[in-house]
């Protein structure tokens, strides 16, 4: 094993996470040969769309205004304003989690 000074430079792991709160449907979908556990619904779609915005907004964790209200965590987020989200009629409030 190489001493720490001789290790190759670390490559940061980049990720994006979207968080929303709402009702979902979940369960096994498929056939006897292949079952997949999945979660579907508008809340899942919104969380996925928020994850997609992480690159554009240059913030790794985005949360919806509804989540911030439900969790009472506004002091730990930065409000990034209203954003149009594909598949949703109204612009939605987006927050970034302070890391």
């Amino acid at each position: 094993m190489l001493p720490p000074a001789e290790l190759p430079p670390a490559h940061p792991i980049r990720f994006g996470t979207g968080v929303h709160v709402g009702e979902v449907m979940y369960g096994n979908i498929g056939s006897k040969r292949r079952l997949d556990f999945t979660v579907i619904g508008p809340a899942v779609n919104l969380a996925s769309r928020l994850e997609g915005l992480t690159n554009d907004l240059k913030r790794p964790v985005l949360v919806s205004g509804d989540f911030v209200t439900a969790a009472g965590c506004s002091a730990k987020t930065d409000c990034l304003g209203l954003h149009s989200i594909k598949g949703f009629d109204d612009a939605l409030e987006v927050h970034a989690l302070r890391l």
Side-chain angles (χ1 to χ4, degrees):
M1 182 168 194
L2 295 173
E6 295 178 32
L7 290 174
H11 296 284
I13 297 174
R14 292 188 173 90
F15 68 94
T17 302
V19 182
H20 181 58
V21 61
E23 291 188 22
V24 299
M25 294 180 65
Y26 62 92
N28 291 315
I29 294 178
S31 66
K32 289 181 181 180
R33 291 182 134 171
R34 180 177 173 161
L35 280 177
D36 286 323
F37 183 82
T38 192
V39 182
I40 59 174
V44 177
N45 296 343
L46 180 52
S48 176
R49 298 292 186 195
L50 288 171
E51 183 273 329
L53 278 177
T54 60
N55 286 331
D56 295 340
L57 298 178
K58 308 289 188 240
R59 302 294 289 267
V61 182
L62 297 179
V63 297
S64 68
D66 290 342
F67 178 84
V68 170
T69 300
C73 63
S74 63
K76 298 179 181 182
T77 66
D78 296 321
C79 182
L80 304 179
L82 296 175
H83 290 266
S84 295
I85 308 290
K86 182 179 175 184
F88 293 84
D89 294 332
D90 299 325
L92 300 169
E93 189 174 283
V94 175
H95 294 251
L97 186 64
R98 287 190 203 126
L99 300 176

